[in-house]
Amino acid sequence: MYGGNTHALRDVSLNVGAGEIFGLLGPNGAGKSTLVKVLLTVVKPTVARGAMLGKPIGDKKTLARVGYLPEQHRLAPYLTARQAVEFVAALSGVDRATRKKRAAELLDRVGLSKWMDRRVNVFSKGMRQRAGLAAALVNDPQIVFLDEPTDGVDPVGRVEIRDLLIQMRREGRTVFLNSHLLGEAEQVCDRVAILVQGRVVKQGRMDDLQREGSRQELIVRWSGSGASAGVGAQFAANGSAIARSLPFRGMNIAPTVLADGTHQYVFGDVDAAAAQPALAAAIATGGEIISLIPMHQRLEELFMKIVVDPTTGKAPPPGAGS
Amino acid sequence: MTAFTAILVDGYRELVAKKLFTLSMILSLLVVAVIGIGGLNEQGVTIFGFTIEVPMINSTMFTPAEFYKFMFNSVGVKFWLGWLACLLALVSSAGMFPEMVSSGVVENMLSRPIPRWRLYIYKFTAGLLFTSLQMAVFCLASFLVIGLRGGAWEPGLFLAIPLVTLLYSYLFAMSALLGTVTRSAIAALLLTILFWGFLFTVNSAETIVNGFRIGSVKECQAIEALMQKRKKENPDVDVSDLQTELERDQSTLSNLALWHRVVFALKTVLPKTDETTSLLQRWTLEASNMQDEGADDAEEVAATAQKQRRRGGPGFGNSRAKTSVVVAAIEADQRSRGVGWILGTSVAFEIVTLGVGCWLFSRRDF
């Protein structure tokens, strides 16, 4: 709670499984970073119940098995990348021999092998981010919290970091990813939660969430020449396309006329068999099937639906309010 | 221990990266070099074969070893390390705590399996490296200079390392607290210097008031002795003038004693920066025994004191007590303040300051 009556987070309940990549999404000020800070004892919550790696939240010893890349983290400018990573390892209680070995390995893995003995103050933002990732992994953590890991990283670097996340999952680590880059989250996350004004408004498996809004889009051309001419052509001529509906799961689906004159039908799931009666009806009445495309809900669409107020078209202000 | 060592090593790297540390180290060696270059002959102090006549400082008054020890203590420790080097250390390390609690850094520190209070104490200890390393180099160089030039090998000089580090730690504890609260290096530095100035003011006030108080005690004693002497010579003599003088001085003494109690109480709870470094003088230099020169007679002393005052000379406002007696009494009073009182009360203040800092650092959200 900030300032006495503003709740940064309220009634947040999450369940993150071992070995999965969990994405925590939300607009700026939703409380994503604060939630991670609560889990990692950087912020002390009014109340927090739960367990991380089998120990109560706030247990300091557990943090030896946790990695963390804070948002806009800063490594000491007077240290080399190797020294900075080793320093973080030492704070986590990693012995000297192990931290030396792991620091070199990880810096190599994030593409800084030639830079590991250069001071961090000459690094670009992307290079610092890579060094930070190495530091987050140096204590061989079971769970890694990454707060905007691709912030400031070039496209090639982003792909490399995405591969690194997948590799972490393969190694059995749990990755807790805070991001507002929905495309990236969509590509790597097994499960996501969307946080708005300090509350979790949606969470679930990525494929379930995608399925929720999945659909098929059928494009039919009614007008034109040859075999397609007939009833369809009469429709186009009459301008009464809305009346030309097609059957889908016992309902009649009305089309939308697109700019090129074709008609778009949207069916409520991706089951191709369910679309067969509509295809048959369209062909039978002289329609030309242009395409039938299964469409999964994009994370961005889901996010916008949840976050943006449909009446104002704006995202809500930060914080959970009083 | 892994984390503690890592924070110490990190602190060392941070210092080395700062030019001020290197500059301060060079200046320390220069100060020792200047002390080493100097010498003594019968006329005064010699530098590169030239003689500078300095009253009371020549080879008839001091042996070479005493001269170098005196220079080490008064110029090296009291002036350079006790003031200037401490100031440079404060400037250099004022940013340590604000940097540690800044966004992007503090998260990495606090999300580790170390209690916050330990992080605070580890960082504080790392901050003392500046002074302790500098003191180590300074003392080693001074030890060699005094040994080679003065012919006295004085391992007691190395006591300066813990003493000056302790003196700096009083100030750095305050700097750490202020840096944690304000999160600003400039604010921490300026407020710490202000605090140091306050300590200096309280110490000076106590020294001055105590000087006058002791002077007044000695004055009363001198008047009483004079009254007895006159009565002994002539039982019928009128000493009402002395009686009036005595009553006036006793009244002054009463006021001074009250003020001294107040200032002394304040000083007791605060760190004693000056007295901490003075301990080195106690332990490494012989006490300067002032010789009683001149008359013992109180009337003669009064006449001499009047002459001195007319010339604007020294005195504690007393006209009958001998200056040397007063000075000796002040020195005795200062020496009566035990090491336990000087260091114990100072360290107690430091522990409280550190405790408040740890408490704030542990409670705060970052």
Side-chain angles (χ1 to χ4, degrees):
Chain A
M1 187 186 279
Y2 291 127
N5 58 3
T6 303
H7 290 81
L9 295 165
R10 183 185 266 184
D11 304 330
V12 174
S13 176
L14 294 174
N15 189 5
V16 181
E20 68 179 18
I21 301 180
F22 185 90
L24 185 62
L25 316 170
N28 290 335
K32 304 185 297 291
S33 296
T34 306
L35 177 58
V36 171
K37 286 179 180 181
V38 166
L39 296 173
L40 299 179
T41 73
V42 179
V43 167
K44 298 196 169 183
T46 314
V47 181
R49 291 188 205 93
M52 184 165 66
L53 298 174
K55 297 282 180 186
I57 290 168
D59 178 60
K60 274 284 184 187
K61 284 183 184 168
T62 309
L63 298 177
R65 296 182 286 148
V66 174
Y68 179 30
L69 174 68
E71 187 183 15
Q72 294 177 344
H73 75 104
R74 285 188 296 126
L75 298 170
Y78 49 84
L79 296 180
T80 64
R82 188 199 297 269
Q83 288 168 343
V85 174
E86 285 182 14
F87 176 64
V88 172
L91 291 181
S92 294
V94 179
D95 67 81
R96 189 180 159 84
T98 310
R99 65 180 185 247
K100 284 198 167 300
K101 185 169 166 280
R102 278 194 66 80
E105 280 172 5
L106 286 164
L107 285 166
D108 184 40
R109 196 162 143 187
V110 298
L112 291 176
S113 55
K114 288 180 182 169
W115 293 81
M116 62 175 79
D117 292 314
R118 298 286 298 276
R119 280 194 178 178
V120 174
N121 61 352
V122 300
F123 282 15
S124 67
K125 196 175 176 191
M127 290 165 79
R128 286 179 200 192
Q129 202 68 358
R130 286 163 187 253
L133 270 170
L137 291 170
V138 75
N139 57 333
D140 195 14
Q142 284 175 259
I143 179 165
V144 190
F145 289 86
L146 304 174
D147 203 343
E148 307 292 355
T150 53
D151 189 21
V153 181
D154 61 35
V156 175
R158 286 179 181 210
V159 172
E160 287 173 0
I161 288 174
R162 203 185 307 147
D163 292 344
L164 188 64
L165 297 180
I166 293 165
Q167 205 176 332
M168 285 184 212
R169 176 169 56 195
R170 227 176 274 141
E171 289 166 353
R173 300 182 209 282
T174 304
V175 180
F176 197 106
L177 178 68
N178 263 14
S179 180
H180 45 235
L181 295 176
L182 302 174
E184 285 181 0
E186 193 166 31
Q187 287 180 58
V188 295
C189 289
D190 300 303
R191 286 169 16 90
V192 294
I194 297 177
L195 201 63
V196 179
Q197 287 195 306
R199 293 173 196 264
V200 176
V201 292
K202 191 89 180 171
Q203 68 173 313
R205 291 199 60 77
M206 182 63 83
D207 41 10
D208 290 341
L209 295 175
Q210 287 175 329
R211 203 173 297 126
E212 268 182 27
S214 62
R215 60 200 184 274
Q216 294 178 83
E217 285 181 7
L218 172 67
I219 309 290
V220 179
R221 189 193 308 278
W222 293 106
S223 59
S225 58
S228 62
V231 183
Q234 286 170 15
F235 275 136
N238 295 340
S240 55
I242 293 167
R244 186 59 176 170
S245 56
L246 289 174
F248 183 80
R249 292 194 188 282
M251 291 186 294
N252 287 323
I253 307 297
T256 304
V257 180
L258 301 181
D260 62 356
T262 57
H263 291 64
Q264 181 194 47
Y265 295 83
V266 178
F267 304 139
D269 65 43
V270 288
D271 183 2
Q276 291 307 314
L279 291 174
I283 292 166
T285 52
E288 181 191 356
I289 307 299
I290 304 298
S291 63
L292 175 66
I293 303 170
M295 309 282 284
H296 289 280
Q297 177 172 244
R298 300 284 312 278
L299 191 54
E300 190 175 279
E301 288 174 59
L302 174 67
F303 185 85
M304 295 304 279
K305 261 189 236 169
I306 291 170
V307 168
V308 175
D309 183 339
T311 54
T312 62
K314 288 180 181 173
S322 56
Chain B
M1 280 309 286
T2 305
F4 179 61
T5 312
I7 290 174
L8 272 191
V9 171
D10 180 64
Y12 172 75
R13 284 174 175 151
E14 187 176 354
L15 287 178
V16 170
K18 286 180 180 168
K19 291 190 174 82
L20 208 54
F21 178 72
T22 314
L23 175 74
S24 188
M25 199 67 99
I26 292 169
L27 286 175
S28 275
L29 290 172
L30 270 176
V31 170
V32 179
V34 167
I35 293 172
I37 287 165
L40 279 184
N41 64 19
E42 287 181 358
Q43 280 78 49
V45 177
T46 62
I47 295 174
F48 291 125
F50 296 100
T51 299
I52 304 165
E53 289 189 20
V54 183
M56 309 291 285
I57 299 179
N58 54 53
S59 60
T60 61
M61 300 290 291
F62 294 102
T63 65
E66 284 171 342
F67 170 72
Y68 288 116
K69 277 196 276 184
F70 170 77
M71 292 294 282
F72 166 78
N73 192 62
S74 58
V75 178
V77 175
K78 281 231 160 193
F79 177 68
W80 166 241
L81 292 170
W83 283 101
L84 291 178
C86 266
L87 187 64
L88 288 178
L90 279 178
V91 172
S92 191
S93 52
M96 281 182 102
F97 276 81
E99 173 65 16
M100 184 177 77
V101 298
S102 65
S103 177
V105 175
V106 72
E107 292 91 341
N108 245 331
M109 301 288 281
L110 299 184
S111 60
R112 304 295 152 195
I114 313 165
R116 289 192 186 189
W117 68 267
R118 271 201 203 163
L119 277 175
Y120 190 91
I121 296 295
Y122 290 175
K123 194 74 180 174
F124 173 76
T125 311
L128 301 182
L129 276 176
F130 188 108
T131 307
S132 51
L133 287 176
Q134 198 167 48
M135 277 309 301
V137 170
F138 182 81
C139 286
L140 183 65
S142 299
F143 178 74
L144 293 174
V145 162
I146 295 170
L148 295 171
R149 298 273 290 148
W153 297 96
E154 190 71 60
L157 293 180
F158 289 99
L159 279 171
I161 300 173
L163 276 179
V164 177
T165 305
L166 190 64
L167 156 71
Y168 176 69
S169 74
Y170 308 151
L171 301 171
F172 187 56
M174 185 56 71
S175 170
L177 171 64
L178 295 167
T180 306
V181 172
T182 63
R183 303 191 191 195
S184 157
I186 302 269
L189 177 64
L190 292 178
L191 290 171
T192 305
I193 290 173
L194 204 65
F195 170 69
W196 197 2
F198 175 67
L199 294 182
F200 177 76
T201 307
V202 171
N203 182 61
S204 302
E206 194 275 332
T207 305
I208 291 166
V209 174
N210 196 36
F212 280 114
R213 182 186 66 85
I214 291 172
S216 196
V217 169
K218 292 295 166 193
E219 181 68 7
C220 289
Q221 288 172 352
I223 294 170
E224 282 167 350
L226 185 58
M227 282 166 70
Q228 282 174 1
K229 184 186 168 194
R230 282 192 190 168
K231 279 188 178 173
K232 197 175 175 182
E233 287 169 359
N234 178 7
D236 300 326
V237 71
D238 178 18
V239 290
S240 58
D241 57 331
L242 288 175
Q243 187 62 39
T244 309
E245 203 177 325
L246 179 64
E247 283 166 7
R248 193 191 63 218
D249 283 353
Q250 280 173 335
S251 167
T252 306
L253 175 60
S254 170
N255 283 335
L256 285 170
L258 174 68
W259 278 109
H260 181 250
R261 274 199 296 278
V262 171
V263 182
F264 188 75
L266 180 61
K267 182 175 173 172
T268 299
V269 297
L270 293 171
K272 286 132 208 85
T273 51
D274 193 50
E275 278 155 317
T276 299
T277 48
S278 295
L279 286 176
L280 191 68
Q281 191 173 10
R282 272 199 213 177
W283 293 336
T284 57
L285 296 177
E286 293 293 322
S288 58
N289 297 317
M290 294 193 70
Q291 299 298 313
D292 271 359
E293 288 166 10
D296 283 333
D297 189 274
E299 288 187 70
E300 200 175 323
V301 169
T304 310
Q306 274 178 354
K307 278 183 204 167
Q308 281 180 340
R309 277 204 297 276
R310 277 199 294 275
R311 284 192 236 120
F316 289 92
N318 52 301
S319 54
R320 301 194 185 274
K322 286 173 67 180
T323 302
S324 60
V325 170
V326 174
V327 169
I330 291 169
E331 279 188 356
D333 184 74
Q334 283 170 345
R335 282 171 184 276
S336 72
R337 294 172 186 178
V339 176
W341 180 80
I342 295 170
L343 298 186
T345 53
S346 301
V347 170
F349 183 90
E350 184 178 337
I351 289 171
V352 170
T353 311
L354 283 174
V356 173
C358 283
W359 181 71
L360 287 174
F361 184 62
S362 299
R363 278 177 55 88
R364 196 173 226 186
D365 288 334
F366 293 95

